[in-house]
Structures are given as C-alpha cells and as structure tokens.
Amino acid sequence: MYAYRRCFWKQTVRFKDKSGCGAMDHVRVHPKFLHSNATSHKWALGAVAELLDNAVDEVGNGATFVSVDKIINPRDNSPSLLVQDDGGGMTPDCMRQCMSLGYSRKNTNTTIGQYGNGFKTSTMRLGADVIVFSRCRNGSVVTQSIGLLSYTFLRKTGHEDVVVPMIDYELTERDGALRPAGDGLRKMVRTTLDDWHSNLTSILQWSPYSTEAEILSQFNDLGWHGTKVIVYNLWFNDDGVLELDFDSDEHDIQLRGGAKQDKGKPVQAQLAQQHIANRYHHSLRVYASILYLQMPPGFQIILRGQPVAHHSIANDLKFPEQIIYKPQIGNNKDQNKETSVITIIGFTKEAPLINVHGFNVYHKNRLIMPFWKVWQDNSSRGRGVVGVLEANFVEPAHDKQDFERTAVLLRLETRLKQMTVEYWNLHCHLIGYQPNTKAGKARKQAAAPPPIDYPAPIASITPAIPLATPPEPSNSADLPSPATGSRPTSSVPITTRSSVPNTEWKPEGPQVKPEPMDFTPDLSKRPSSASVSEALHRLKRQRVETAANNSHPTIPEEPQTAMADTNMSTQADESVLLHLVEENSQLLAKVADYEHHTRKLEQQAKELELRLNEEKERVVKLQQELERLKMSREPQPKQLVDARKDDGKKLTVDTGRIADTNHGVEAVVSGTIVPGGTSAPVTVPKVVVKVEQH
C-alpha cells in the first residue's frame, strides 16, 4: 500500500489491479470514482447544503427539523459531522437506492434533489467515510437499516468495486411503543445469514462503533421514523488542519481561512466584512439562513443546538421595485405565456457605503447562485443594486451552485444586466449619486396617469420612478407566478413595472420637470395613506372577485392588451393609485433627504456662529493689543522741568509745553507765552530750566 494523506484535493492513492483480463458481465464502478465524483463540490458548505436539501425534501413525509452538529468519533476521539432529521426514513430497499449512483425517486415539482447523486458527492466531499442509520414505519412494520459507505474501507481492503456493507432489522411493536434496542429485533436476511454477519463485521471494523449494541444505540433518539448521517474521518486542508472549523463559534460551523472581524478597520470596511454577501462564504449559519426562499411551515434548521433564523434578502432592500420577466423558453408561444418570473430589485440597505451587488437566484425555493454578479463595470454604476428571483425555468448544475449554461440562462443573464442598468439610472440619485441625464432625456416622464379630481392639482411633480410601459392593471405582487407557485415572494412594499422593453407609452398632457432637492413638497393636498390603502384594498378585492370568475389570472403581455380589457375603469383607477403610491414613496424619500439636509445646514450654522463669536473675541483682543503697541511707540513724558523766571515765578514743563501754576498761562518751549485769557503772543523772559528725571 502507498502512503496516504487525508487531504481531499490531494488524493493520489493507487489501487492494486485485480481486474484480470476476462470479460465483465456488468459495468463496474471503481472506488476512485467516489472521490472524483465528489470533486463536483468545490465548496464544502455547498456539500452540507445537499444534506439539508434531503431533509427538506422529507417535509412531505412529516419532517419538522434537521439538526447539524459536531460529535466525537468514539474510536479515535476525532470530530465528526452529524446530520439528523425526523422525516419518513428509508426502507431497506430505499437505503440501497440511496447508496446507489444516479438513482432518484424525486421527480415531483417540489423536491429539490433530482439526480440521485447528491448524497454520495456531498458526504465524500466532507469526509472519507459515512455511516447512515434510518428507521422507517410502514403501517405496523418498523424497519431499521444501517449502511456504510467507506472510502477508507475500500482503499485499505483493495476493492476494485464500490462495496457498501448494509444490514437491516425488523422491530416488534408492543403495546404501541418501540422496544428498547436489542429487544424484539429480528434480522432481515436478504441472501444468507453468513452474508448478513459478514456485513455486520465490516461495519463494526470500519465504522466508529465496535459493537452491535453501540450500533443499535444510535436509533434511540430517532423515534418512529427518521435518518441519521454521520460523516467521519473529515478532510484536512492544505495546512494539515480540519477543513471544517468547529471551534471559532460554538453555535456555528465555519470554513477555516474566513475573514476575521477586525474592529480596528474603518467603519466602511467593517460594514462590508459583516455583510451577508461576504459572510455566507465561510459561515454555515449565515448560508443556511438564506438557503431557502421561504422556510417550509413548521420546519426549522437546528445548527449546533440553536435554530437558524430565516433571513429574507428582499426585506433588506431599500427603494425596492418589482419587475415581471417573461422568459423565452422555446418556440411555443403558449408555453412562454405561462411562465413569468417576479424579480425584486433594490439597493442594499448599506448602499452606497459598501460595494455589494448581484442577483440571488433560487430554483424551487433553493438558493443556487447567491449575489450573482451579472454586471461588471469599473465605474460606480450598479453599486449596491441587489435582486432576488426564483428561476424554475432553468436547470441547476449537479452541485447546485450554478446553472447549466444554456441559451435560456444566457438570455436571463442579459435581461438581469439590463435591469441593473435601468434601475441604477432611475434611482442612483436616491443614494447620493448624480442622476443619469442621458437616461432621463431618453425616457422623459413616461407612465403619466389619467387625470383625476383632487382638491389640488398634482401637475407640480412628475413620478420619481418613470415606467417603461403603462402601469399594470393588477398588483403583480398578489398574483401567484406559475414558476413560483402560490408562494409569496416578499413582504416588502414594492412598486411594479413590466420588464417588456419594446413598447414605450407616450404620456398625454403637459409634463413639468421635477424641481431639485431644494423644494418642500406639499403633502397636505394629497390623499392620505389610509385612503390610498383603503382604495387599493377595495380594488384588490374586486380583482379577486373578477379572477374567481375566470379560469386563471392573466398578466397583460402588451400595453394594447391591457387597454383592451373589459374593466377599463378599474384598471385606470388602480394604475392611478399605484402611481400615487409610487410617487408618495418618492416624495417621502425627498422629504427625508430635505429634512436631513436641513438638519445638516442647521448644524453648520451653529458651528459657524460659534466660530464667528470666537473670531469677534479674537478681534477685540487684537485691537487691545494694537492699542498697547501704539501707546508703546508714541513719545512718553520723559522729564519734568523746574523752570524759574528772573522774577522767581515757578513754571512746570512737560513734553515741550509749560504751564504757569501761579498765573494760569501756557507757553511753548520756543519762549512764546500765551496768557490764559488772551490769544496775543507774549515774549517769555529768560528761563532757567532744571530737569528732574522720573
């Protein structure tokens, strides 16, 4: 035997050739096919989702939960993965079909699985070995089946075919209750008793349980029916550690190498890191929360003892809009009419702070492509635009992480690109970007409603969201789509417009260009939200009563078909109300932006006022300092002069001027004396000056 390293992507183990040269009487499946077949799963969490799908498919058989947890392998104390549900379980024949390749009985429109390959690929992608316990009740007969699909067993024993040891028991029901393990059990022998014991021996040798009592004890918590899958000898990554991380979060199973939360990063980087579009890559709890468009009633996913809260991506969108897409599947026109898909598109609530965009495409309620980036552009166009739709008209790939690349899918991708660009051009101003003026000129004021009497005219404002086609005569959010069944798509308030781009409805009457953000809409002249809601409710009730008289509700394919409907008055009223609801939502958004802008300006005014007062105080201080500087530069009294005339009179001289304290006269130093009461100059007698310094 060759050296063996338990790393999934480096399985190069060679098997001994025991095939011989004789002719084969059947097609053989080599054990290496188990590994090569499992490589269809590039992502380990996608393999776990396959096991969750099997449990969800059992809802019709009474399943109420699926539990995913970590358990310890009693043989070597290594961690193992447990997936358990309380579905209908598997009979001995169903157990053998489950272990077979390509066999599937899931051919209904509600089941997710269809290829008969998911269990083998998912379990072999997660670990080298898996053991399955299943109990099934069919009337009064209760069976227990055990199957072992072990890559380790096949490799080490040198088998050239995929051999799966399996054993079955039949329980004896007494007094309406199952007997304890080992009491009332009967071995169900399909070939010989020796073969039955040989299978049991292989299971005890290569499974985590070494005795029959330990094997049977695994049924104790299954009740009357259910299935338990234990994947052990889990794969390592390239660093030699387990690929599944059970330690980082005790209530989650993560993939190693995921981004760790760093509180030192900028707020914008933290928001992007914590967004669900980036977290689902490495967190099973986050991925399971968005895995299904609608969680089946009464069913829950329990991850490591804690229920997984269902998360609706559509409820996270702001400014949502609903677009009806009618895919072209074939040349049959009737078939195309029966298929319509409702796409909910909007901005993620963190936009424009983070660059998250893409469409979440579901198939039969199961998420196939999360945040599919159909639009790739180096500019900011399309930033934050997220959509949700259920595309049952395209076939998923075997790993359920992509769709088959068919012409139908390519047309869908092209249409989703157009939706992204159209939505961005019409709504980018709502998140702070400059509106697309070219798009605005190309689609001037489309979808103007018929005139209606109101207390005040509404011609002062045009719709914030112009429609490419006339408003639909019915609220498509309430109509079940043939592709989606009767399942509601979303509970968020949305506006509806058709996705058929080949016809443009020209509005009648004068169109007034909307004012910029500096106006305050007068909402007092518009009908209240309660009256609009009441009218919508009344029209919906009328539409339901009208639809009850028809074989099925129809969605108009062309604007001309809608205008030719018999109930034109109801359609016109509803189109007006839908237009008003749409317009009101945009007005409220503008009011909110206006109030935010006003608060911002008020805050700036307060800051400027504080700065102005500070500057005034600073100016006063500077003026005082300037006065002190001027005083310091002017000539100061430097000396006092004691001057006496010849007649003995005392004079005081200060800064070039003298004053006679006895006779009240002033004199200049030049010697001219001006008497206090006269203006005639007087010649000063000879003065003797004595200088005293102060």
Side-chain angles (χ1 to χ4, degrees), residues 179-219:
R179 306 307 301 169
D183 184 13
L185 291 177
R186 184 179 67 84
K187 299 179 179 67
M188 298 180 65
V189 180
R190 299 178 68 89
T191 55
T192 65
L193 187 60
D194 290 340
D195 290 340
W196 192 95
H197 283 289
S198 176
N199 285 322
L200 175 61
T201 301
S202 298
I203 291 175
L204 296 180
Q205 181 178 357
W206 298 102
S207 75
Y209 310 103
S210 56
T211 65
E212 185 178 7
E214 292 180 355
I215 289 285
L216 295 175
S217 66
Q218 298 303 311
F219 291 95

Side-chain angles (χ1 to χ4, degrees), residues 54-70:
N54 291 337
V56 173
D57 285 341
E58 286 294 308
V59 170
N61 295 324
T64 61
F65 75 91
V66 57
S67 177
V68 183
D69 209 340
K70 166 194 170 184

Side-chain angles (χ1 to χ4, degrees), residues 227-280:
T227 301
K228 179 185 293 186
V229 178
I230 299 176
V231 184
Y232 58 102
N233 289 333
L234 301 175
W235 295 116
F236 294 151
N237 60 15
D238 293 339
D239 297 328
V241 295
L242 284 177
E243 189 176 15
L244 297 180
D245 180 10
F246 299 98
D247 302 327
S248 296
D249 189 342
E250 62 179 359
H251 298 306
D252 195 6
I253 298 176
Q254 300 181 358
L255 291 183
R256 299 190 187 275
K260 302 296 183 181
Q261 184 176 3
D262 186 3
K263 295 184 178 180
K265 292 183 177 180
V267 177
Q268 186 173 351
Q270 294 185 31
L271 285 175
Q273 182 179 340
Q274 292 302 313
H275 194 272
I276 195 170
N278 297 320
R279 293 172 56 205
Y280 83 89

Side-chain angles (χ1 to χ4, degrees), residues 59 64 90 97 115 129 145 163 172 237 328 335 345 358 366 423 446 464 510 562 569 614 640-641 647 663 668 671 673:
V59 170
T64 61
M90 291 182 285
Q97 294 167 0
Y115 298 115
D129 311 291
S145 300
V163 178
T172 300
N237 60 15
Q328 182 182 355
Q335 183 182 9
I345 187 172
R366 163 64 146 85
Y423 184 86
S569 60
E614 293 176 356
L640 288 176
V641 180
D647 57 359
H663 298 89
V668 294
I673 298 177

Side-chain angles (χ1 to χ4, degrees), residues 534-550:
E534 182 181 356
L536 278 177
H537 179 70
R538 183 181 67 256
L539 291 174
K540 289 179 182 178
R541 185 170 63 252
Q542 294 175 358
R543 187 182 64 250
V544 171
E545 294 174 355
T546 304
N549 299 325
N550 301 327

Side-chain angles (χ1 to χ4, degrees), residues 468-514:
T469 58
E472 297 288 341
S474 61
N475 191 351
S476 302
D478 300 330
L479 292 178
S481 170
T484 59
S486 60
R487 185 184 307 112
T489 305
S490 174
S491 60
V492 296
I494 51 183
T495 57
T496 306
R497 63 186 178 94
S498 171
S499 66
V500 182
N502 57 356
T503 304
E504 186 171 352
W505 185 37
K506 298 298 182 179
E508 297 180 359
Q511 298 297 308
V512 182
K513 185 176 180 181

